[in-house]
């Protein structure tokens, strides 16, 4: 152990020196470097690169190195969370990044296939101190022993599985198993589906895959960013420290409800409303709603102009509308063409009233007269009021809010389920199911950016005018300075000799210093380099339309378990999710080993699911605790007190306990649970957490107490029962439901 401690000490000496150098280089880069475009670009690139390295060093500090591989050739490599090299001429590796090809035998080598390894060593550290070593002998002909041999090779894995939970997911970089490694390093392009039951490590594999792809395709993905979509904010908080611990900080974590910039979906839908909003045919419904806003006069619109009354009837407007629709442009973008058709129609109407030649019927006005008439009509507020009535400018928020207030193109039952009114002058209380509708509306409407383009052009001209003024002052100053000097001195170049005003203005445009993930979060049309979706089976068909728009290359990793589908709007089947977008052109793989749930708990959970799916086969648990789940019955008036007593009796000394109960019981239970407030975002780092079944998806706790299981849907109960890593209890008031049948 002394040798490894010496290496760790030397490694951190190197890291501290590197960190200091990085901090100095960043500070130096931020000093004034002149206004030249090239200098500014070089500074920005240096700051970005160095700041990223500094963030990575800070994120993994204290747990850099976790392993060593000794090759039969006599060479050894230490494996860590990031790669570090010496400053020598050859850039000699000090620590090998776990994602590098040379590190792969650390995860795949076996006694049967040693992959050139003599020994694999696992290092356990606390801070910068080595606390334990575990060696696996892979070359069975090597008789050398160190005294740290692990006969089974499972000590490190079992230690990680049995460790107390903290309320935050830990990375599995030290214990990646062979089947997980193959998924993590799978090719980047196309759609990869990773299916697995509870506790199989789907989420951890997906996060490590994100880190691997960012390492392997750094240039592309650093520019386009990686999006990770989770089922709820609590889940995102739970996984939020995994990628930083692997040295990656430039990833966007989001729920579907957060993927429309400027909208924070905090409202809730009834299950029926969420199901209706999530249907694929809502895209056609919204398209029909937009078409309805492209109206015809009923019966006519009268416009006063220059002592004339111009009449727009349905026939005239229908021609303009049909021609505009024929352009194929989206609603707001097409409005410019509709305006043009209406102005031309009114111009022709007014010109005919002024008069025509009695001999050939031609207009008496020349083109310049017609242009003047059109410009005067364009300045008439009544004309634009009529256009707004017939082809209004719409925002996605306005369109969807109006639709929800008065749903059309739906059955009476579906319309009643989603109908929601908003008080005048207040913003709607958007729900996660509304966000895909907003995104669909944005696609249908497009953006009429004429005003923005005009403002940008005006600002550009202002900057050019300012730059020209600076150059004029420079020229005048130079002329005055050289009036009394000889001709040779006056030929020295000045600013106006080497740059014009337009180029000078361009050089002083502000640079966007945000990272790709930050810019992507603010841009609805951003195309991500790769998207990872956790609990993918829960997303609705409309949510998938939103995500597919964010991934035009269809580079995605989808993680989930159809057996755990709980949301009424969830598509569930991989075929139904992907067929509209990639057909059958996707890779499917399955994880079948349960690392989280002890076999005693998994047997009961599997029996619950078999009540609806008789042929169901659960993932195989790798461990047994010997502790059978317990069940306690109580009366309704003593339910909260009984749950509190159970929490007190079974709360682990270290780790976390979750009470999973129907939402309707949360307020009652919270009165008996210290530090718990019903209706607030759960703090997963608190020793005791109160959750609804669906809030618990993807999470894990040392101990779980399930309350009133008879009120759960089968899939929800299956999820709740499989959250525990050590022990499980059930409290009910006379209806243990499917749990009783499985005991």
């Amino acid at each position: 152990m002394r040798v490894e401690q010496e290496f760790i000490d030397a490694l951190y000496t190197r890291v501290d020196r590197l960190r200091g150098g990085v901090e100095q280089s960043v500070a130096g880069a931020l000093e004034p470097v002149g206004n030249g475009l090239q200098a500014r670009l070089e500074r920005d690139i240096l700051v970005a690169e160095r700041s990223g390295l500094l963030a990575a060093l800070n994120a993994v500090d204290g747990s850099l190195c976790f392993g060593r591989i000794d090759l039969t050739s006599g060479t050894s490599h230490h494996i860590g969370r990031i790669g570090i090299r010496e400053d020598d001429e050859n850039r000699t590796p000090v620590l090998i990044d776990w994602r590098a090809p040379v590190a792969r035998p650390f995860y795949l080598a076996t006694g049967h296939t040693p992959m050139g390894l003599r020994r694999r060593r696992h290092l356990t550290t606390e801070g910068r101190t080595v606390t334990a070593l575990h060696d696996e002998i892979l070359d069975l002909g090597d008789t050398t022993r160190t005294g740290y041999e692990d006969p089974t090779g499972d000590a490190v894995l079992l230690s990680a599985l049995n460790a107390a939970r903290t309320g935050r997911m830990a990375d599995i970089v030290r214990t990646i198993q062979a089947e997980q490694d193959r998924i993590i390093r799978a090719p980047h392009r196309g759609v990869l589906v990773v299916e697995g039951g509870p506790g199989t490590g789907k989420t951890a594999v997906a996060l490590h895959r994100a880190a691997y792809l960012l390492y392997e395709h750094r240039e592309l993905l650093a520019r386009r960013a990686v999006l990770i979509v989770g089922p709820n904010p609590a889940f995102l908080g739970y996984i939020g420290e995994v990628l930083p611990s692997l040295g990656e900080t430039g990833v966007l974590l989001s729920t579907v409800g957060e993927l429309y910039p400027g909208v924070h979906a905090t409202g809730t839908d009834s299950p029926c409303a969420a199901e209706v909003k999530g249907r694929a045919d809502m895209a056609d419904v919204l398209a029909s709603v937009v078409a309805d806003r492209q109206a015809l006069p009923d019966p006519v619109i009268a416009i006063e102009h220059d002592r004339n009354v111009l009449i727009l009837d349905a026939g005239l407007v229908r021609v303009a509308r049909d021609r505009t629709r024929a352009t194929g442009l989206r609603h707001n973008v097409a409005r410019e063409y509709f305006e043009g058709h209406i102005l031309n129609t009114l111009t022709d109407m007014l010109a005919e009233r002024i008069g025509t030649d009695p001999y050939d019927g031609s207009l008496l006005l020349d083109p310049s007269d017609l242009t003047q008439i059109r410009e005067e009509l364009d300045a008439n507020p009544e004309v634009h009021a009529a256009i707004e009535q017939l082809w209004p400018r719409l925002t996605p928020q306005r369109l969807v809010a109006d639709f929800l207030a008065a749903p059309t193109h739906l059955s009476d039952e579906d319309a009643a389920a989603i109908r929601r009114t908003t008080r005048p002058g207040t913003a709607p209380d958007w729900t996660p199911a509304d966000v895909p509708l907003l995104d669909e509306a944005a696609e249908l409407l497009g953006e009429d950016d004429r005003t923005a383009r005009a403002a940008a052009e005006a600002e550009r001209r202002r900057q050019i005018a300012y730059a020209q003024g600076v150059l004029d002052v420079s020229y005048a100053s130079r002329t005055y300075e050289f009036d009394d000097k000889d001709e040779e001195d006056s030929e020295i170049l000045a600013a106006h000799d080497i740059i014009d005003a337009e180029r000078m203005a361009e050089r002083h445009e502000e640079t966007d210093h945000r990272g790709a993930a930050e810019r992507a979060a603010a841009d609805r049309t951003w195309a991500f380099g790769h998207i990872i979706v956790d609990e993918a089976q829960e997303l609705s068909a409309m949510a998938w339309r939103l995500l597919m728009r964010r991934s035009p290359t269809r580079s995605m990793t989808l993680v989930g378990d159809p057996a755990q589908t709980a949301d009424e709007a969830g598509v569930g089947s991989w075929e139904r999710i992907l067929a509209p977008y990639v057909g059958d052109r996707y890779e499917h793989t399955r994880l079948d080993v349960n690392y989280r749930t002890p076999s005693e708990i998994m047997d009961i959970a599997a029996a619950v699911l078999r009540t609806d799916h008789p042929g169901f086969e659960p993932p195989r648990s790798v461990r047994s605790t010997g502790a059978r789940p317990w069940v306690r019955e109580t009366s309704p008036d003593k339910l909260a007190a009984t749950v509190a007593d159970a929490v007190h009796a079974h709360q682990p000394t270290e780790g976390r306990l979750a009470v999973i109960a129907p939402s309707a019981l949360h307020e009652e239970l919270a009165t008996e649970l210290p530090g718990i407030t019903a209706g607030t975002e759960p703090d997963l780092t608190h020793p005791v957490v109160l959750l609804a079944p669906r809030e618990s998806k993807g999470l894990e706790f040392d101990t779980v107490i399930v309350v009133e299981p008879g009120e759960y849907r089968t899939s929800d109960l299956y999820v709740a029962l499989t959250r525990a890593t050590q022990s499980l209890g059930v409290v009910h008031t006379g209806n243990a439901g499917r749990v009783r049948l499985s005991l």
Side-chain angles (χ1 to χ4, degrees):
M1 192 176 294
R2 180 179 59 82
V3 173
E4 296 295 0
Q5 185 61 59
E6 290 175 353
F7 171 80
I8 293 294
D9 291 340
L11 174 65
Y12 280 105
T13 298
R14 170 80 178 89
V15 168
D16 291 339
R17 187 167 65 249
L18 178 62
R19 182 183 286 113
V22 170
E23 290 173 343
Q24 290 180 9
S25 67
V26 171
L30 291 174
E31 293 177 359
V33 294
N35 292 322
L37 179 61
Q38 186 63 35
R40 291 179 63 191
L41 287 175
E42 290 176 355
R43 179 201 65 184
D44 293 342
I45 292 171
L46 177 61
V47 170
E49 289 180 346
R50 296 293 186 175
S51 298
L53 177 58
L54 185 60
L57 288 171
N58 291 335
V60 302
D61 190 19
S63 57
L64 273 173
C65 179
F66 56 81
R68 191 182 87 187
I69 51 177
D70 297 339
L71 282 64
T72 54
S73 63
T75 304
S76 295
H77 298 297
H78 281 87
I79 313 298
R81 285 172 165 78
I82 62 174
I84 297 177
R85 294 178 178 272
E86 287 285 8
D87 289 331
D88 57 24
E89 183 178 337
N90 297 323
R91 302 285 290 154
T92 305
V94 176
L95 188 66
I96 303 295
D97 193 301
W98 67 276
R99 298 164 286 191
V102 71
R104 198 170 190 193
F106 183 80
Y107 301 107
L108 298 184
T110 66
H112 184 267
T113 309
M115 300 178 69
L117 298 193
R118 181 169 58 88
R119 177 189 294 112
R120 171 169 48 214
R121 167 168 286 181
H122 296 269
L123 284 73
T124 302
T125 60
E126 290 184 6
R128 302 186 178 191
T129 302
V130 179
T131 58
L133 302 178
H134 295 87
D135 286 346
E136 296 176 63
I137 304 301
L138 299 173
D139 181 0
L140 301 182
D142 186 351
T143 59
T144 303
R145 296 294 180 264
T146 64
Y148 300 110
E149 281 73 27
D150 175 9
T152 65
D154 293 332
V156 175
L157 174 62
L158 291 176
S159 175
L161 297 179
N162 288 317
R165 269 40 188 177
T166 64
R168 293 288 182 264
M169 176 180 275
D171 66 70
I172 60 168
V173 67
R174 299 175 64 226
T175 59
I176 294 172
Q177 303 300 292
E179 71 275 11
Q180 296 172 331
D181 183 82
R182 284 189 285 271
I183 295 171
I184 290 169
R185 298 174 191 263
H188 170 224
R189 298 297 182 185
V191 177
L192 173 65
V193 173
V194 182
E195 182 178 333
T200 54
K202 303 182 299 298
T203 299
V205 167
L207 294 172
H208 287 70
R209 175 163 170 74
Y212 171 76
L213 293 177
L214 285 163
Y215 172 85
E216 190 71 8
H217 306 281
R218 177 71 63 187
E219 183 177 352
L220 170 65
L221 296 183
R223 185 174 68 252
R224 299 307 312 162
V226 172
L227 169 66
I228 297 179
V229 179
N232 54 59
F235 175 83
L236 296 181
Y238 176 65
I239 68 172
E241 295 178 4
V242 173
L243 285 168
S245 75
L246 300 175
E248 300 296 346
T249 57
V251 176
L252 177 62
L253 276 65
S254 177
T255 65
V256 169
E258 298 167 329
L259 284 177
Y260 193 92
V263 168
H264 187 50
T266 57
T268 56
D269 276 312
S270 69
C272 183
E275 189 274 328
V276 172
K277 292 178 182 180
R279 293 176 190 167
D281 59 10
M282 285 299 296
D284 295 329
V285 170
L286 288 177
S288 298
V289 171
V290 172
D292 290 345
R293 304 302 290 270
Q294 299 163 2
L296 297 176
D298 184 20
V300 297
I301 296 177
I303 300 171
E304 292 188 12
H305 181 77
D306 195 21
R307 298 189 299 277
N308 287 280
V309 177
L310 307 177
I311 302 298
L312 286 174
D313 60 26
L316 290 173
V317 174
R318 182 177 288 107
V319 172
R321 185 179 70 174
D322 290 347
R323 290 178 178 175
T324 302
R325 286 178 173 176
T327 64
L329 297 172
R330 292 177 287 181
H331 176 87
N332 286 334
V333 181
R335 177 183 161 117
E336 181 178 0
Y337 292 84
F338 183 77
E339 288 179 4
H341 286 304
I342 295 299
L343 286 170
N344 290 340
T345 297
L346 294 174
T347 300
D348 293 343
M349 191 183 301
L350 193 57
E352 288 177 0
R353 292 189 183 182
I354 293 174
T356 58
D357 190 304
Y359 296 103
D360 59 12
S362 62
L363 293 174
L364 297 175
L365 305 175
D366 61 27
S368 62
D369 295 327
L370 295 176
T371 299
Q372 182 177 350
I373 291 173
R374 194 181 190 280
E375 290 174 351
E376 291 171 352
L377 285 166
D378 194 15
N380 186 338
E382 288 194 27
V383 173
H384 287 282
I387 292 171
E388 181 65 20
Q389 178 182 338
L390 299 170
W391 197 289
R393 288 188 180 92
L394 296 170
T395 65
Q397 289 91 330
R398 174 184 169 187
L399 182 77
V400 175
D402 290 349
F403 167 67
L404 294 176
T408 56
H409 304 282
L410 294 173
S411 69
D412 292 342
E413 183 181 359
D414 290 344
I418 70 169
R419 185 176 288 111
R420 184 176 75 228
T421 57
T422 303
R423 294 194 309 274
T426 63
D429 190 13
W430 298 113
T431 71
D434 291 332
V435 167
L437 302 186
L438 291 167
D439 196 73
E440 189 72 28
E443 285 295 305
L444 292 167
L445 296 175
E447 184 177 356
D448 183 357
D449 62 349
R450 283 178 291 171
T451 301
R453 282 189 282 113
E457 179 62 19
E459 176 62 19
R460 189 180 76 87
R461 292 187 178 280
R462 189 189 69 79
Q463 292 285 355
I464 292 174
Y466 177 80
Q468 186 62 57
V470 172
L471 292 175
D472 290 344
V473 170
S474 172
Y475 177 75
S477 174
R478 178 176 179 273
T479 301
Y480 175 80
E481 181 181 350
F482 287 109
D483 275 346
D484 299 328
K485 296 190 176 182
D486 58 36
E487 185 176 344
E488 182 178 347
D489 288 341
S490 68
E491 291 179 357
I492 297 174
L493 293 177
H496 63 271
D497 296 315
I498 59 177
I499 192 171
D500 59 23
E502 186 169 354
R503 291 181 61 199
M504 185 175 179
E506 289 175 353
R507 288 192 174 189
H508 286 79
E509 290 180 357
E510 290 190 12
T511 302
D512 190 346
H513 294 286
R514 295 176 301 170
E518 291 178 282
R519 287 181 283 122
D523 184 354
R524 190 195 68 82
T525 63
W526 189 274
F528 289 91
H530 193 78
I531 295 179
I532 293 175
V533 185
D534 205 314
E535 302 293 351
Q537 76 282 348
E538 301 288 1
L539 270 59
S540 70
M542 288 299 293
W544 282 112
R545 287 178 64 86
L546 179 156
L547 288 177
M548 290 298 175
R549 281 193 281 268
R550 304 296 196 277
S551 181
T553 62
R554 303 293 188 259
S555 179
M556 310 178 84
T557 301
L558 312 184
V559 180
D561 180 14
Q564 297 185 60
T565 304
D567 199 299
E568 286 78 359
V571 177
S573 162
W574 303 121
E575 292 77 13
R576 283 166 39 207
I577 290 172
L578 295 170
Y581 306 102
V582 298
D584 60 357
R585 300 183 305 279
Y586 62 91
E587 296 292 327
H588 179 276
T589 188
R590 182 172 179 84
L591 295 169
D592 292 313
V593 179
N594 186 333
Y595 298 99
R596 175 205 303 145
T597 315
S599 58
E600 294 85 355
I601 297 175
M602 199 64 217
D603 290 344
I604 293 175
V608 164
L609 202 56
R610 287 194 188 103
T611 60
D612 285 354
H613 306 282
F616 171 73
E617 286 298 326
R620 175 179 56 84
S621 296
V622 299
R623 63 195 178 98
S624 169
T625 61
R628 290 283 296 172
W630 53 265
V631 177
R632 184 176 302 173
E633 183 175 350
T634 186
S635 60
D637 60 314
K638 296 181 178 179
L639 177 63
T642 302
V643 171
D645 290 343
V647 168
H648 180 73
H650 296 278
Q651 184 174 346
T653 305
E654 294 183 80
R656 302 294 180 269
L657 181 149
V659 176
I660 302 178
S663 298
L665 297 176
H666 281 202
E667 187 170 345
E668 176 187 355
L669 295 174
T671 61
E672 298 286 342
L673 298 176
I676 301 297
T677 303
T680 60
E681 190 71 34
D683 178 6
L684 300 180
T685 64
H686 193 273
V688 179
V689 181
L690 178 62
L691 300 169
R694 295 185 188 180
E695 286 182 309
S696 70
K697 291 184 75 68
L699 308 180
E700 61 182 22
F701 305 89
D702 300 85
T703 300
V704 170
I705 299 175
V706 177
V707 181
E708 293 288 47
E711 298 184 16
Y712 296 24
R713 289 179 51 176
T714 301
S715 57
D716 288 335
L717 183 54
Y718 179 62
V719 169
L721 294 173
T722 54
R723 301 303 97 195
T725 65
Q726 300 295 335
S727 64
L728 170 70
V730 174
V731 177
H732 67 95
T733 59
N735 181 13
R738 298 171 179 85
V739 174
R740 174 66 70 188
L741 296 174
S742 63
L743 289 174

